[in-house]
């Protein structure tokens, strides 16, 4: 049975000024209609009347009581408006500070005339381009609205109510949400003392109910990675009837030589699904496009749960064009590597612990409450990701921006801590 929820909401209207939202708790469409009205302001007069709104009695799934909404990085325009700032730097969402390829921009502009048409549900051009680039069959690819969109579909294909799914903690939170919504049970294994995956401990959690294992490498939010040797040893312990998802969203940023080359394992391990994205080094985060790589049988299962036309035309043409711009990709890689070293050096000077990263972000320990540090940096026009949302209460996750952005962040951080 689901859970019933019922609320009574009070809206105060000033007789002269309009509506006071300072006393309102709205969770329905009424709030959405009112909150952006120009006349909405805090009540400063006793002349008001109240409107009481009884919400509908609705029944929700019990699992929703155990799921918190995803909290994204704070938007730049919101911070400018709320704090009256002219310049705001966002280093919270691991976006490419260089933007995207000029070829991708041109492709999206050219696609405007196709706006009235549904997109290619097969992502044919992109599928063929990736197959040629990686030396695989076109039928070994599956596409979604970002790798997020694919993560949401994997439990739909492989999880029955009561099945278990193993994941690290902290790691990408959508794994947990997607499994719970499918009726599965999440088995979370803490990272080790160095904030790396404890693959031995994860292997020990495998049982007859295990259906999906998630490995985020490099890991978000820590930026740490496990090696080729560690991955091979782990995969040998996993029964072939268990799906292993290798989430490699930050693959293109990796600098270490011992990082796994998972494509070479597709024939050896038919139970693996590799995830990659165009949101990070390719700079197409707003276009929402990612892809999975596996064998044709596994891809076929995912196709059965995919919504039609799930990747828009602009995303498809931009991603295809991006594959042809190796110069932009390498500039993004080298810029990230250079500015990562700059931040390492600055953290060392300040005396702050940080986690060596194979991504485009760094986790740094400020030894202070991350909520307070986050708010203090926000007032200076710097948006970062506070670690408390990952259970790392004194840490910050900071995206590696341009050199100028990194310098401004370091100066603001020094003042705050």
């Amino acid at each position: 049975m689901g859970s019933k929820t019922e609320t009574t909401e009070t809206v105060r209207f000033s007789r002269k000024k309009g509506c006071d939202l300072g006393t309102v708790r709205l969770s329905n469409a009424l709030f959405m209609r009112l909150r952006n009205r120009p006349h909405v302001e805090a009540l400063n007069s006793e002349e008001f009347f109240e409107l009481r709104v009884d919400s509908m009695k609705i029944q929700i799934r019990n699992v929703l009581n155990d799921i918190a909404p995803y909290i994204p990085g704070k938007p730049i325009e919101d911070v400018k408006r709320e704090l009256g700032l002219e310049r705001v730097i966002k280093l919270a969402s691991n976006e490419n500070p260089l933007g995207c390829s000029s070829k991708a921009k041109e492709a999206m502009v050219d696609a405007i005339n196709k706006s009235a048409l549904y997109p290619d549900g097969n992502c044919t051009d992109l599928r063929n381009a990736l197959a040629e680039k990686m030396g695989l069959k076109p039928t070994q690819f599956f596409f979604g609205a970002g790798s997020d969109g694919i993560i949401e579909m994997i439990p739909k294909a492989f999880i029955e109510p009561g099945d278990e799914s193993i994941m690290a903690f902290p790691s990408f939170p959508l794994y947990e949400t997607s499994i719970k919504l499918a009726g599965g049970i999440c088995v979370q294994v803490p990272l080790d003392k160095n904030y790396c995956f404890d693959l031995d401990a994860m292997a020990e959690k495998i049982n007859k109910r295990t259906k999906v294992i998630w490995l985020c490498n490099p890991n978000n939010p820590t930026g740490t990675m496990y090696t080729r040797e560690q991955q091979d040893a782990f995969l040998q312990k996993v029964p072939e009837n268990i799906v292993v998802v290798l989430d490699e969203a930050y693959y293109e940023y990796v600098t270490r030589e011992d990082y796994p080359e998972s494509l070479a394992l597709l024939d050896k391990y038919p139970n693996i699904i590799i995830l990659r994205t165009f949101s990070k080094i390719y700079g197409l985060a707003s276009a929402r496009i990612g892809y999975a790589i596996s064998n044709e049988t596994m891809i076929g299962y995912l196709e059965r749960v995919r919504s039609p036309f799930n990747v828009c035309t602009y995303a498809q043409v931009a991603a295809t064009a991006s594959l042809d711009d190796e110069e932009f990709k390498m500039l993004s890689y080298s810029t990230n590597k250079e500015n990562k070293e700059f931040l390492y050096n600055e953290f060392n000077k300040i005396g702050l612990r940080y986690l060596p990263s194979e991504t485009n972000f760094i986790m740094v320990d400020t030894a202070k409450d991350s909520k307070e540090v986050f708010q203090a940096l926000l007032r200076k026009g710097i948006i970062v990701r506070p670690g408390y949302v990952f259970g790392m209460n004194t840490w910050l996750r900071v995206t590696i921006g341009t050199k100028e952005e990194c310098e401004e962040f370091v100066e603001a951080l020094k003042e705050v801590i």
Side-chain angles (χ1 to χ4, degrees), residues 318-332:
T320 305
S322 294
L323 292 175
D324 286 333
D325 197 342
E326 191 68 19
E327 183 179 351
F328 175 81
K329 177 183 171 183
M330 293 310 300
L331 177 62
S332 298

Side-chain angles (χ1 to χ4, degrees), residues 104-379:
K105 295 176 185 177
E106 293 170 4
M108 286 187 281
V109 170
D110 290 343
I112 288 177
N113 291 331
K114 299 180 180 179
S115 295
L117 305 178
Y118 286 109
D120 174 6
N122 190 52
C123 297
T124 304
D125 290 343
L126 179 57
R127 182 183 298 274
N128 291 336
L130 282 168
E132 182 178 355
K133 186 178 182 70
M134 297 184 181
L136 298 172
K137 299 176 183 178
T139 47
Q140 288 184 267
F141 294 90
F142 178 80
F143 300 91
S147 54
D148 303 31
I150 303 172
I151 290 169
E152 291 176 337
M153 283 186 268
I154 288 173
K156 293 179 181 179
F158 301 107
I159 291 290
E160 295 280 9
D163 287 343
E164 292 186 359
S165 180
I166 300 171
M167 61 200 71
F169 181 82
S171 194
F172 191 50
L174 193 58
Y175 308 149
E176 179 182 2
T177 302
S178 299
I179 291 297
K180 287 181 176 179
L181 286 173
I185 299 169
C186 297
V187 179
Q188 295 184 320
V189 179
L191 301 178
D192 66 19
K193 62 181 181 180
N194 296 315
Y195 293 95
C196 297
F197 271 54
D198 189 339
L199 293 177
D200 290 336
M202 294 182 77
E204 291 175 359
K205 295 294 184 180
I206 296 174
N207 59 44
K208 293 181 179 180
R209 296 185 299 276
T210 306
K211 293 297 177 64
V212 178
I213 300 173
W214 307 86
L215 301 179
C216 186
N217 195 38
N219 187 41
N220 180 9
T222 58
T224 53
M225 60 158 269
Y226 55 77
T227 67
R228 181 182 307 111
E229 182 179 352
Q230 291 172 317
Q231 178 171 280
D232 288 345
F234 177 79
L235 290 175
Q236 290 175 27
K237 300 176 184 177
V238 180
E240 62 182 11
N241 65 315
I242 296 174
V243 176
V244 180
V245 182
L246 306 177
D247 188 346
E248 299 180 347
Y250 298 91
Y251 167 82
E252 291 88 356
Y253 284 112
V254 174
T255 60
R256 281 175 52 174
E257 296 285 334
D258 55 352
Y259 182 79
E261 284 297 338
S262 301
L263 290 180
L265 302 177
L266 288 171
D267 291 333
K268 184 176 181 180
Y269 298 105
N271 58 329
I272 65 173
I273 299 174
I274 302 168
L275 300 183
R276 294 188 182 169
T277 184
F278 286 92
S279 296
K280 303 306 176 184
I281 205 165
Y282 292 104
L284 296 175
S286 67
R288 309 310 301 131
I289 182 163
Y291 59 102
I293 314 166
S294 190
N295 59 69
E296 292 172 299
T297 300
M298 295 283 273
I299 295 299
Y301 295 148
L302 291 174
E303 287 289 356
R304 298 182 193 185
V305 298
R306 177 178 67 84
S307 300
F309 313 121
N310 64 319
V311 178
C312 77
T313 298
Y314 303 110
Q316 292 184 41
V317 299
T320 305
S322 294
L323 292 175
D324 286 333
D325 197 342
E326 191 68 19
E327 183 179 351
F328 175 81
K329 177 183 171 183
M330 293 310 300
L331 177 62
S332 298
Y333 172 86
S334 60
T335 299
N336 186 76
K337 183 179 180 181
E338 178 182 340
N339 293 339
K340 179 171 65 175
E341 291 299 327
F342 167 78
L343 288 174
Y344 284 172
N345 291 332
E346 293 300 315
F347 293 152
N348 286 332
K349 291 177 185 177
I350 302 171
L352 298 179
R353 179 189 178 190
Y354 59 88
L355 301 180
S357 175
E358 293 300 319
T359 65
N360 67 338
F361 61 85
I362 303 173
M363 284 293 283
V364 56
D365 188 357
T366 66
K368 294 181 180 293
D369 187 327
S370 65
K371 293 181 183 179
E372 296 178 1
V373 177
F374 165 75
Q375 291 294 340
L377 287 172
L378 203 62
R379 290 191 288 272

